[in-house]
Amino acid sequence: HSINLLDLVRDINDLTGQSLKPRFEPGRIGDVKSSLANNSAAEKAFGYKATVTWKEGLSKTLDFYRSQK
């Protein structure tokens, strides 16, 4: 499952009630245009399997950072 930065902004807005708007700037030297993790080696070696959805994980991450105040 691939998530881009616009998805991230949309989901953060949805989970926080904010209305963040992305600011588009020219690319910089060294920017990574796309990256997709392949968890198959961890699944094979350790039996790893994601147990939460992207949005559940993002929600838990936001909850963690909120609790650190």
Side-chain angles (χ1 to χ4, degrees), residues 5-23:
L5 289 174
L6 293 176
D7 294 331
L8 174 61
V9 171
R10 180 201 62 222
D11 291 344
I12 288 174
N13 283 340
D14 184 47
L15 291 168
T16 64
Q18 296 184 67
S19 57
L20 302 172
K21 304 227 182 309
R23 187 175 76 199

Side-chain angles (χ1 to χ4, degrees), residues 13-68:
N13 283 340
D14 184 47
L15 291 168
T16 64
Q18 296 184 67
S19 57
L20 302 172
K21 304 227 182 309
R23 187 175 76 199
F24 297 93
E25 300 283 338
R28 298 175 296 182
I29 295 173
D31 279 355
V32 176
K33 293 183 181 174
S34 107
S35 176
L36 183 60
N38 180 346
N39 297 333
S40 61
E43 185 174 356
K44 185 176 179 182
F46 311 113
Y48 170 81
K49 194 152 189 89
T51 58
V52 297
T53 66
W54 152 256
K55 204 158 180 184
E56 289 171 321
L58 180 59
S59 179
K60 288 180 179 195
T61 300
L62 291 169
D63 289 343
F64 170 80
Y65 281 105
R66 286 180 187 124
S67 74
Q68 299 304 303

